[in-house]
Amino acid sequence: MTDPLQHAAGPAPHPGRRGRRAVDAGDLVERARRGEARAVARLISVVEDAGPAVREVAAALAPHGGRAQVVGLTGAPGVGKSTTTAALVRALRQAGRRVGVLAVDPSSPFSGGALLGDRVRMQQAAGDDGVYIRSMATRGHLGGLAVATPLALRVLDAAGCDVVLVETVGVGQSELDVASLADTTVVLLAPGMGDGIQAAKAGILEVADVLVVNKADREGADRTVRELRAMTLLGSGADRPGAWRPPVCRTVAVRETGSGVEAVLDAVAAHRDWLAASGEGHRRRTRRARREVEAVALDGLRRRMGEVRGSAALHALAERVVAGETDAYRAADELVARL
Ligand SMILES: Nc1nc2c(ncn2[C@@H]2O[C@H](COP(=O)(O)OP(=O)(O)OP(=O)(O)O)[C@@H](O)[C@H]2O)c(=O)[nH]1
Ligand SMILES: [Mg+2]
């Protein structure tokens, strides 16, 4: 008897099936490594589309990573993440660094208009080819970002970026929180929006490697800085020898009156050195890879479940549940075992 599950879980469809151009992953990765912006863009599109070619891309990228420092920027909506990112890009470019920017919007199934606008503005601000800027959204595919974002980071890493800045909204409330992706997490606050106590309540202090009080041109910045400094001193374990104590920076990110961005870059560089010296960098990367493997596995299972839905085998199992010959748990075990 033929097993419809067997068929559903069969070989992946051929890359050309959907009428797309075949992808030569090895060639694209080579070109991206030489700094060809078009190859970088194409690779990230392949990653975002999550088609069959993504496997080859992942394989071709595997030996070429580990150089870039991934810096996550997070904080409440409107706190100034995009403005700060743009300021950091300018400063890093002035220092001759190659920079990647990934703006990730976990809440939107489409590329958000705001993010898109940001991206265009940033590219103009940078005005050169030493910076790659992309925005990513879920495209309505559950688990999609958790799979696509780490791989997009690998693309930018392979392309020779020294630093990749990742902007996301919020902390820890989505399947993809930036702290799990980044080597270094920068948490932004603004005076009057969320003071230190609120930050502590929201669990922000635990994930922050660098704290930034942006909009320091506004009233109340001094107080917020003071409170945060006091809290990082109280923080558990921060006084152990060799521990990292998150510095608190104050910035005005808007270009015309900008200040404090250099200090943020210094803090980020110091954290990079600490990551290397303490071994924490390796631990974080291993943790990141573990989550990535998990996300890919989950994604694969979801897809196979999708293929099984409506299959004759599932129907047969359902009939047996109705007839009282088995129960939903045993039926589910059977189903999963055959995936
Ligand atoms: N006064 C002042 N305004 C700022 C500063 N930084 C950013 N802004 C303004 O704050 C607004 C929001 O800034 P964005 O950079 O878009 O904030 P964001 O955190 O990226 O916002 P979302 O992506 O929507 O969460 C903009 O109007 C900025 O011009 C600052 O240092 N001082
Ligand atoms: Mg933004």
Side-chain angles (χ1 to χ4, degrees), residues 200 205 226-239 245-246:
L205 294 181
R226 265 200 316 275
E227 281 175 1
L228 287 171
R229 287 215 170 112
M231 270 176 227
T232 59
L233 290 174
L234 290 173
S236 60
D239 49 356
R245 181 178 300 156

Side-chain angles (χ1 to χ4, degrees), residues 76-83 85 103 114-115 118 121-122 167-169:
V79 75
K81 296 178 294 295
S82 298
T83 315
T85 300
L115 283 181
D118 286 346
R121 277 200 301 280
M122 270 189 238
E167 176 190 345
T168 59
V169 177

Side-chain angles (χ1 to χ4, degrees), residues 42-59:
R42 178 100 174 90
L43 281 170
I44 296 184
S45 297
V46 170
V47 166
E48 234 179 356
D49 288 348
V54 81
R55 294 186 79 98
E56 291 160 51
V57 167

